[in-house]
Amino acid sequence: MTSNGVWEYGNGNGIGTSTNGNSIENGLGSSIENGHGKGNSNVNGNEKVNGAKVIKMKPMESEMLREQGHIMVDFIADYYKNLEDSPHDFPVLSQVQPGYLRDVLPDSAPDQPESLKELLDDVSKKIIPGITHWQSPSYFAYYASSTSVAGFLGEMLNAGLSVVGFTWLTSPAATELEVIVLDWLAKLLQLPNHFLSTGKGGGVIQGTGCEAVLVVVLAARDRILKKVGITSLPRLVVYASDQTHSSFRKACLIGGIHEENIRLLKTDSSTNYEMPPESLEEAISHDLAKGFIPFFICATVGTTSSAAVDPLVPLGEIGKSYGIWMHVDAAYAGNACICPEYRKFIDGIENADSFNINAHKWLFANQTCSPLWVKDRYSLIDALKTNPEYLEYKVSKRDAVVNYKDWQISLSRRFRSLKLWMVLRLYGSENLRNFIRDHVNLAKHFEDYVAQDPHFEVVTIRYFSLVCFRLVTVDGDEDKCNERNRELLAAVNSTGKIFISHTTLSGKFILRFAVGAPLTEEKHVTEAWQIIHKHASILIRNGNC
């Protein structure tokens, strides 16, 4: 067998046997060499096609997996070590130009196998330069895509088992572990009992928060249409703030909600960009008077722009009083609510119909792992269920088993609960809480730097690990201030030493500094501030501020 997992048959000069998947050669013969790599052969003189050797591929062979798996783990471990030890070799923000990869890769796939060594050489020389290093300790741009050894091992186990658990029958353990682990996590978050599998609700792992908000919009839509009739679809109205993630609008459009019926309520600095309950109440009353049908509210705990927290208690009470489905998108900040001191940010969750966090953002479960809990699982199932004959099997009653195909858009699904289970078991909840606290403290450390410099200002209240800041205005000229902050962002990111991002709030160009990468320590935050301060000083010295 070659190093590429290809079994090779000889040219009549020998015979060969294979035992338990391992190659044993008993005769003469040689391996095929195609210019890309070579390995040992399993010779069988009986196999010929027009006198030529026949290459038989065996894509999953245990000894090959063992050998090449070790090589791959070493490669990935070296990558993480180099991110820390040789950061100058890994610009955080990729410095390549669009289309760079087409110039260095062939126009077509190879006809013959290549070696793993060649492939990994290409990864190092051609792929890595085009990577923005989300796992770099100096990555502070968007909310993190957090990784961990436990999460990685869970992904490895998931890939190795490669089950497709769309129904209980197709892999009972995949379904039942997901039910159990999401009950564990719900209890860590102190969610109401109606979100547990023991009640009418329960949890499901979606791929992303975007998928989560889509399925609950569809569930809420179908629930209301059963009451008012399908012809009322054009009158359905939804509500969110102008800080709500863009995926909400996309979910509504996919669900057939008219664009003009998506109400994005204005926020401002007076409430730290939280959704104003009085604006929601007024909008609902106005729509009812016009003959519209309010059916969905999307509240956010930890908005993308500034980590604002919508007031769930009054919003939930409004939703409940009108019979409106309220979803809470806590993709980023919800993870922090496993810490008792941050649990207050989801007070009022008892009036929500659904709740979502992204465990791959700040709970070290690796992409993609987005737990969603619903108060009434049948609203979700009734909107998404499909029952083709080839998936039918008899159960004693409806609640006997969970079929997660009816809780999501796609049929196929990965065994995602493995990695979440491994994260919770291999670290324990207290270690996870402390790591989140460390990130919040590092953000406070950066915030202190900003607050102590008269040329900068902190723009919003910091609740978690995101700091929103900017260079201050000079003579009240906001346009010039915006331009100077754009210049500062470009200068800082062009160094490749750190990566930060931006947003706009009330027309102001704001810089975002988000702590969340697993390797980040205080020294990286300090270095980041020094880089920002240095380039700000250049702008100021040149009279640009």
Short mmCIF file of all heavy atoms in Angstrom, two decimals, residues 146-200:
data_model
loop_
_atom_site.label_atom_id
_atom_site.label_comp_id
_atom_site.label_asym_id
_atom_site.label_seq_id
_atom_site.Cartn_x
_atom_site.Cartn_y
_atom_site.Cartn_z
N SER A 146 -13.43 30.12 19.00
CA SER A 146 -12.55 29.56 20.02
C SER A 146 -12.28 28.08 19.78
O SER A 146 -13.17 27.32 19.38
CB SER A 146 -13.14 29.76 21.42
OG SER A 146 -14.34 29.05 21.57
N THR A 147 -11.05 27.70 20.02
CA THR A 147 -10.65 26.31 19.90
C THR A 147 -10.10 25.82 21.24
O THR A 147 -9.82 26.61 22.14
CB THR A 147 -9.55 26.13 18.84
OG1 THR A 147 -8.42 26.94 19.21
CG2 THR A 147 -10.03 26.53 17.48
N SER A 148 -9.95 24.53 21.35
CA SER A 148 -9.35 23.93 22.54
C SER A 148 -8.89 22.53 22.17
O SER A 148 -9.32 21.97 21.16
CB SER A 148 -10.35 23.85 23.69
OG SER A 148 -11.42 22.96 23.37
N VAL A 149 -8.01 21.98 22.97
CA VAL A 149 -7.58 20.59 22.74
C VAL A 149 -8.80 19.67 22.83
O VAL A 149 -8.99 18.77 22.00
CB VAL A 149 -6.50 20.18 23.75
CG1 VAL A 149 -6.19 18.69 23.63
CG2 VAL A 149 -5.23 21.00 23.53
N ALA A 150 -9.65 19.89 23.83
CA ALA A 150 -10.84 19.05 23.99
C ALA A 150 -11.76 19.16 22.78
O ALA A 150 -12.28 18.16 22.27
CB ALA A 150 -11.59 19.42 25.26
N GLY A 151 -11.97 20.39 22.31
CA GLY A 151 -12.82 20.58 21.14
C GLY A 151 -12.22 19.94 19.90
O GLY A 151 -12.93 19.35 19.09
N PHE A 152 -10.90 20.07 19.76
CA PHE A 152 -10.23 19.46 18.62
C PHE A 152 -10.34 17.94 18.66
O PHE A 152 -10.63 17.29 17.65
CB PHE A 152 -8.76 19.87 18.62
CG PHE A 152 -7.92 19.20 17.57
CD1 PHE A 152 -7.94 19.64 16.26
CD2 PHE A 152 -7.12 18.11 17.88
CE1 PHE A 152 -7.18 19.01 15.28
CE2 PHE A 152 -6.36 17.48 16.93
CZ PHE A 152 -6.39 17.93 15.61
N LEU A 153 -10.14 17.37 19.83
CA LEU A 153 -10.26 15.92 19.96
C LEU A 153 -11.69 15.46 19.69
O LEU A 153 -11.91 14.40 19.09
CB LEU A 153 -9.82 15.48 21.36
CG LEU A 153 -8.33 15.69 21.70
CD1 LEU A 153 -8.05 15.30 23.14
CD2 LEU A 153 -7.43 14.92 20.75
N GLY A 154 -12.65 16.26 20.11
CA GLY A 154 -14.03 15.93 19.81
C GLY A 154 -14.31 15.96 18.32
O GLY A 154 -15.02 15.09 17.79
N GLU A 155 -13.73 16.95 17.62
CA GLU A 155 -13.87 17.01 16.16
C GLU A 155 -13.21 15.80 15.51
O GLU A 155 -13.74 15.23 14.54
CB GLU A 155 -13.23 18.30 15.63
CG GLU A 155 -14.09 19.52 15.78
CD GLU A 155 -15.25 19.51 14.81
OE1 GLU A 155 -15.09 19.11 13.65
OE2 GLU A 155 -16.35 19.90 15.22
N MET A 156 -12.06 15.41 16.05
CA MET A 156 -11.35 14.25 15.50
C MET A 156 -12.18 12.98 15.67
O MET A 156 -12.32 12.18 14.74
CB MET A 156 -10.00 14.09 16.20
CG MET A 156 -9.15 12.94 15.66
SD MET A 156 -7.62 12.72 16.60
CE MET A 156 -6.74 14.20 16.15
N LEU A 157 -12.75 12.81 16.85
CA LEU A 157 -13.58 11.64 17.11
C LEU A 157 -14.83 11.66 16.24
O LEU A 157 -15.23 10.62 15.67
CB LEU A 157 -13.94 11.57 18.59
CG LEU A 157 -14.70 10.33 19.07
CD1 LEU A 157 -13.93 9.05 18.74
CD2 LEU A 157 -14.96 10.43 20.58
N ASN A 158 -15.41 12.82 16.10
CA ASN A 158 -16.59 12.98 15.26
C ASN A 158 -16.27 12.60 13.81
O ASN A 158 -17.01 11.83 13.17
CB ASN A 158 -17.05 14.45 15.33
CG ASN A 158 -18.29 14.73 14.51
OD1 ASN A 158 -18.93 13.83 13.99
ND2 ASN A 158 -18.62 16.00 14.39
N ALA A 159 -15.15 13.10 13.30
CA ALA A 159 -14.76 12.79 11.93
C ALA A 159 -14.45 11.31 11.77
O ALA A 159 -14.76 10.70 10.74
CB ALA A 159 -13.55 13.63 11.53
N GLY A 160 -13.83 10.71 12.79
CA GLY A 160 -13.47 9.31 12.71
C GLY A 160 -14.67 8.38 12.72
O GLY A 160 -14.76 7.44 11.93
N LEU A 161 -15.63 8.68 13.59
CA LEU A 161 -16.84 7.85 13.65
C LEU A 161 -17.75 8.11 12.46
O LEU A 161 -18.41 7.21 11.95
CB LEU A 161 -17.59 8.12 14.96
CG LEU A 161 -16.83 7.76 16.24
CD1 LEU A 161 -17.65 8.16 17.47
CD2 LEU A 161 -16.50 6.27 16.29
N SER A 162 -17.81 9.38 12.07
CA SER A 162 -18.53 9.81 10.86
C SER A 162 -19.95 9.23 10.78
O SER A 162 -20.35 8.64 9.78
CB SER A 162 -17.75 9.41 9.60
OG SER A 162 -18.23 10.11 8.48
N VAL A 163 -20.70 9.42 11.85
CA VAL A 163 -22.09 8.97 11.84
C VAL A 163 -22.99 10.10 11.33
O VAL A 163 -22.63 11.27 11.38
CB VAL A 163 -22.56 8.52 13.24
CG1 VAL A 163 -21.66 7.45 13.79
CG2 VAL A 163 -22.61 9.70 14.20
N VAL A 164 -24.13 9.74 10.82
CA VAL A 164 -25.11 10.71 10.34
C VAL A 164 -26.38 10.49 11.16
O VAL A 164 -27.21 9.65 10.82
CB VAL A 164 -25.38 10.54 8.84
CG1 VAL A 164 -26.30 11.65 8.33
CG2 VAL A 164 -24.06 10.55 8.05
N GLY A 165 -26.52 11.25 12.23
CA GLY A 165 -27.59 10.97 13.19
C GLY A 165 -28.84 11.77 12.97
O GLY A 165 -29.29 12.49 13.88
N PHE A 166 -29.44 11.66 11.79
CA PHE A 166 -30.64 12.49 11.55
C PHE A 166 -31.87 11.95 12.26
O PHE A 166 -32.80 12.68 12.54
CB PHE A 166 -30.90 12.68 10.06
CG PHE A 166 -30.79 11.45 9.20
CD1 PHE A 166 -31.75 10.47 9.23
CD2 PHE A 166 -29.71 11.30 8.35
CE1 PHE A 166 -31.66 9.35 8.42
CE2 PHE A 166 -29.61 10.19 7.52
CZ PHE A 166 -30.58 9.21 7.56
N THR A 167 -31.90 10.63 12.55
CA THR A 167 -32.96 10.08 13.39
C THR A 167 -32.32 9.31 14.54
O THR A 167 -31.13 8.99 14.49
CB THR A 167 -33.88 9.12 12.61
OG1 THR A 167 -33.10 8.01 12.15
CG2 THR A 167 -34.52 9.81 11.42
N TRP A 168 -33.11 9.01 15.53
CA TRP A 168 -32.59 8.22 16.65
C TRP A 168 -32.05 6.90 16.14
O TRP A 168 -30.98 6.45 16.55
CB TRP A 168 -33.71 7.99 17.67
CG TRP A 168 -33.28 7.13 18.84
CD1 TRP A 168 -32.72 7.57 20.00
CD2 TRP A 168 -33.39 5.71 18.94
NE1 TRP A 168 -32.45 6.50 20.83
CE2 TRP A 168 -32.86 5.34 20.20
CE3 TRP A 168 -33.88 4.70 18.11
CZ2 TRP A 168 -32.80 4.01 20.64
CZ3 TRP A 168 -33.82 3.39 18.53
CH2 TRP A 168 -33.28 3.05 19.78
N LEU A 169 -32.75 6.28 15.22
CA LEU A 169 -32.37 4.96 14.73
C LEU A 169 -31.01 4.97 14.06
O LEU A 169 -30.25 4.01 14.15
CB LEU A 169 -33.44 4.46 13.74
CG LEU A 169 -33.26 3.03 13.22
CD1 LEU A 169 -33.48 2.02 14.34
CD2 LEU A 169 -34.23 2.77 12.07
N THR A 170 -30.66 6.05 13.36
CA THR A 170 -29.41 6.07 12.59
C THR A 170 -28.17 6.16 13.46
O THR A 170 -27.07 5.92 12.98
CB THR A 170 -29.41 7.23 11.58
OG1 THR A 170 -29.59 8.46 12.29
CG2 THR A 170 -30.50 7.04 10.54
N SER A 171 -28.32 6.54 14.71
CA SER A 171 -27.24 6.51 15.71
C SER A 171 -27.83 6.93 17.05
O SER A 171 -27.82 8.12 17.40
CB SER A 171 -26.08 7.43 15.34
OG SER A 171 -25.14 6.75 14.53
N PRO A 172 -28.37 5.98 17.80
CA PRO A 172 -29.02 6.32 19.07
C PRO A 172 -28.14 7.16 20.01
O PRO A 172 -28.62 8.10 20.64
CB PRO A 172 -29.36 4.95 19.66
CG PRO A 172 -29.53 4.05 18.48
CD PRO A 172 -28.52 4.53 17.48
N ALA A 173 -26.85 6.83 20.07
CA ALA A 173 -25.97 7.56 20.99
C ALA A 173 -25.83 9.01 20.58
O ALA A 173 -25.74 9.91 21.43
CB ALA A 173 -24.60 6.89 21.05
N ALA A 174 -25.79 9.28 19.28
CA ALA A 174 -25.64 10.66 18.80
C ALA A 174 -26.83 11.50 19.25
O ALA A 174 -26.66 12.65 19.67
CB ALA A 174 -25.50 10.67 17.28
N THR A 175 -28.01 10.95 19.14
CA THR A 175 -29.21 11.67 19.56
C THR A 175 -29.25 11.82 21.08
O THR A 175 -29.45 12.93 21.61
CB THR A 175 -30.47 10.94 19.08
OG1 THR A 175 -30.49 10.93 17.66
CG2 THR A 175 -31.73 11.59 19.61
N GLU A 176 -29.06 10.74 21.79
CA GLU A 176 -29.25 10.78 23.24
C GLU A 176 -28.16 11.59 23.94
O GLU A 176 -28.43 12.26 24.94
CB GLU A 176 -29.32 9.35 23.77
CG GLU A 176 -30.55 8.61 23.23
CD GLU A 176 -30.85 7.30 23.95
OE1 GLU A 176 -30.25 7.05 25.02
OE2 GLU A 176 -31.68 6.53 23.44
N LEU A 177 -26.93 11.56 23.42
CA LEU A 177 -25.88 12.39 24.02
C LEU A 177 -26.19 13.86 23.84
O LEU A 177 -25.98 14.67 24.75
CB LEU A 177 -24.51 12.05 23.42
CG LEU A 177 -23.34 12.80 24.06
CD1 LEU A 177 -23.18 12.43 25.54
CD2 LEU A 177 -22.03 12.52 23.30
N GLU A 178 -26.71 14.24 22.68
CA GLU A 178 -27.05 15.64 22.44
C GLU A 178 -28.14 16.10 23.40
O GLU A 178 -28.07 17.21 23.95
CB GLU A 178 -27.49 15.82 20.99
CG GLU A 178 -27.70 17.26 20.58
CD GLU A 178 -27.69 17.45 19.08
OE1 GLU A 178 -27.07 16.64 18.36
OE2 GLU A 178 -28.31 18.43 18.61
N VAL A 179 -29.13 15.28 23.62
CA VAL A 179 -30.19 15.62 24.56
C VAL A 179 -29.62 15.84 25.96
O VAL A 179 -29.92 16.83 26.63
CB VAL A 179 -31.25 14.50 24.59
CG1 VAL A 179 -32.25 14.73 25.74
CG2 VAL A 179 -32.00 14.41 23.26
N ILE A 180 -28.77 14.93 26.38
CA ILE A 180 -28.21 14.98 27.74
C ILE A 180 -27.27 16.17 27.91
O ILE A 180 -27.36 16.93 28.90
CB ILE A 180 -27.49 13.66 28.07
CG1 ILE A 180 -28.50 12.52 28.19
CG2 ILE A 180 -26.66 13.79 29.35
CD1 ILE A 180 -27.87 11.14 28.17
N VAL A 181 -26.37 16.37 26.95
CA VAL A 181 -25.37 17.44 27.07
C VAL A 181 -26.05 18.81 27.05
O VAL A 181 -25.63 19.72 27.78
CB VAL A 181 -24.31 17.31 25.95
CG1 VAL A 181 -23.45 18.55 25.89
CG2 VAL A 181 -23.43 16.09 26.21
N LEU A 182 -27.08 18.97 26.24
CA LEU A 182 -27.76 20.26 26.22
C LEU A 182 -28.57 20.49 27.49
O LEU A 182 -28.76 21.63 27.91
CB LEU A 182 -28.63 20.39 24.98
CG LEU A 182 -27.83 20.52 23.68
CD1 LEU A 182 -28.74 20.80 22.50
CD2 LEU A 182 -26.77 21.61 23.79
N ASP A 183 -29.03 19.44 28.14
CA ASP A 183 -29.62 19.59 29.47
C ASP A 183 -28.55 20.02 30.48
O ASP A 183 -28.79 20.87 31.34
CB ASP A 183 -30.28 18.29 29.93
CG ASP A 183 -31.67 18.09 29.35
OD1 ASP A 183 -32.20 19.03 28.71
OD2 ASP A 183 -32.24 17.00 29.53
N TRP A 184 -27.35 19.43 30.39
CA TRP A 184 -26.24 19.84 31.25
C TRP A 184 -25.98 21.35 31.10
O TRP A 184 -25.88 22.09 32.09
CB TRP A 184 -24.96 19.11 30.86
CG TRP A 184 -24.83 17.70 31.30
CD1 TRP A 184 -25.76 16.90 31.87
CD2 TRP A 184 -23.64 16.88 31.17
NE1 TRP A 184 -25.25 15.65 32.11
CE2 TRP A 184 -23.96 15.62 31.68
CE3 TRP A 184 -22.38 17.11 30.65
CZ2 TRP A 184 -23.03 14.58 31.71
CZ3 TRP A 184 -21.44 16.08 30.67
CH2 TRP A 184 -21.77 14.83 31.20
N LEU A 185 -25.84 21.77 29.85
CA LEU A 185 -25.50 23.17 29.59
C LEU A 185 -26.63 24.10 30.01
O LEU A 185 -26.39 25.19 30.55
CB LEU A 185 -25.16 23.35 28.11
CG LEU A 185 -24.59 24.71 27.68
CD1 LEU A 185 -23.42 25.12 28.55
CD2 LEU A 185 -24.19 24.66 26.20
N ALA A 186 -27.87 23.67 29.79
CA ALA A 186 -29.01 24.48 30.23
C ALA A 186 -28.98 24.69 31.73
O ALA A 186 -29.30 25.78 32.23
CB ALA A 186 -30.32 23.81 29.80
N LYS A 187 -28.59 23.66 32.46
CA LYS A 187 -28.51 23.79 33.92
C LYS A 187 -27.36 24.70 34.33
O LYS A 187 -27.49 25.46 35.30
CB LYS A 187 -28.35 22.40 34.54
CG LYS A 187 -29.60 21.55 34.41
CD LYS A 187 -29.38 20.12 34.87
CE LYS A 187 -30.62 19.25 34.66
NZ LYS A 187 -30.38 17.83 35.02
N LEU A 188 -26.24 24.66 33.60
CA LEU A 188 -25.14 25.59 33.89
C LEU A 188 -25.57 27.03 33.68
O LEU A 188 -25.14 27.94 34.39
CB LEU A 188 -23.93 25.28 33.01
CG LEU A 188 -23.13 24.02 33.34
CD1 LEU A 188 -22.01 23.82 32.33
CD2 LEU A 188 -22.55 24.09 34.75
N LEU A 189 -26.44 27.25 32.70
CA LEU A 189 -26.95 28.58 32.41
C LEU A 189 -28.14 28.96 33.27
O LEU A 189 -28.64 30.09 33.17
CB LEU A 189 -27.35 28.66 30.93
CG LEU A 189 -26.20 28.61 29.91
CD1 LEU A 189 -26.72 28.25 28.53
CD2 LEU A 189 -25.46 29.95 29.87
N GLN A 190 -28.59 28.01 34.09
CA GLN A 190 -29.78 28.21 34.94
C GLN A 190 -31.00 28.60 34.11
O GLN A 190 -31.76 29.51 34.46
CB GLN A 190 -29.51 29.25 36.02
CG GLN A 190 -28.34 28.90 36.93
CD GLN A 190 -28.07 30.00 37.94
OE1 GLN A 190 -28.96 30.38 38.72
NE2 GLN A 190 -26.85 30.51 37.94
N LEU A 191 -31.18 27.91 32.98
CA LEU A 191 -32.36 28.15 32.17
C LEU A 191 -33.59 27.57 32.84
O LEU A 191 -33.49 26.61 33.62
CB LEU A 191 -32.19 27.52 30.78
CG LEU A 191 -31.05 28.05 29.91
CD1 LEU A 191 -31.09 27.37 28.54
CD2 LEU A 191 -31.12 29.57 29.75
N PRO A 192 -34.75 28.11 32.56
CA PRO A 192 -35.99 27.57 33.15
C PRO A 192 -36.19 26.11 32.75
O PRO A 192 -35.73 25.66 31.70
CB PRO A 192 -37.07 28.46 32.53
CG PRO A 192 -36.38 29.71 32.13
CD PRO A 192 -35.00 29.30 31.73
N ASN A 193 -36.90 25.38 33.60
CA ASN A 193 -37.10 23.94 33.37
C ASN A 193 -37.81 23.63 32.06
O ASN A 193 -37.64 22.54 31.50
CB ASN A 193 -37.89 23.34 34.53
CG ASN A 193 -37.05 23.23 35.79
OD1 ASN A 193 -35.82 23.20 35.73
ND2 ASN A 193 -37.70 23.20 36.94
N HIS A 194 -38.59 24.59 31.55
CA HIS A 194 -39.31 24.28 30.32
C HIS A 194 -38.39 24.20 29.10
O HIS A 194 -38.82 23.78 28.02
CB HIS A 194 -40.46 25.28 30.07
CG HIS A 194 -40.05 26.72 30.03
ND1 HIS A 194 -40.54 27.64 30.93
CD2 HIS A 194 -39.22 27.41 29.22
CE1 HIS A 194 -40.04 28.84 30.67
NE2 HIS A 194 -39.24 28.72 29.62
N PHE A 195 -37.12 24.58 29.25
CA PHE A 195 -36.16 24.41 28.16
C PHE A 195 -35.46 23.05 28.22
O PHE A 195 -34.68 22.72 27.32
CB PHE A 195 -35.10 25.52 28.20
CG PHE A 195 -35.59 26.85 27.68
CD1 PHE A 195 -35.54 27.99 28.47
CD2 PHE A 195 -36.09 26.97 26.39
CE1 PHE A 195 -35.96 29.21 28.00
CE2 PHE A 195 -36.53 28.19 25.90
CZ PHE A 195 -36.47 29.33 26.71
N LEU A 196 -35.71 22.29 29.25
CA LEU A 196 -35.07 20.97 29.39
C LEU A 196 -35.85 19.91 28.62
O LEU A 196 -37.05 20.05 28.35
CB LEU A 196 -34.99 20.58 30.87
CG LEU A 196 -34.18 21.50 31.79
CD1 LEU A 196 -34.24 21.00 33.22
CD2 LEU A 196 -32.74 21.61 31.32
N SER A 197 -35.17 18.82 28.32
CA SER A 197 -35.80 17.74 27.56
C SER A 197 -36.88 17.03 28.36
O SER A 197 -37.72 16.35 27.79
CB SER A 197 -34.74 16.73 27.12
OG SER A 197 -34.15 16.10 28.25
N THR A 198 -36.85 17.18 29.68
CA THR A 198 -37.84 16.53 30.53
C THR A 198 -39.20 17.21 30.49
O THR A 198 -40.18 16.67 31.00
CB THR A 198 -37.33 16.50 31.98
OG1 THR A 198 -36.91 17.83 32.36
CG2 THR A 198 -36.14 15.56 32.12
N GLY A 199 -39.26 18.39 29.88
CA GLY A 199 -40.54 19.09 29.74
C GLY A 199 -41.01 19.08 28.31
O GLY A 199 -40.72 18.16 27.54
N LYS A 200 -41.70 20.14 27.91
CA LYS A 200 -42.22 20.22 26.55
C LYS A 200 -41.20 20.81 25.58
O LYS A 200 -41.42 20.80 24.37
CB LYS A 200 -43.50 21.08 26.53
CG LYS A 200 -44.67 20.43 27.24
CD LYS A 200 -45.92 21.30 27.10
CE LYS A 200 -47.12 20.64 27.77
NZ LYS A 200 -48.35 21.47 27.63
#
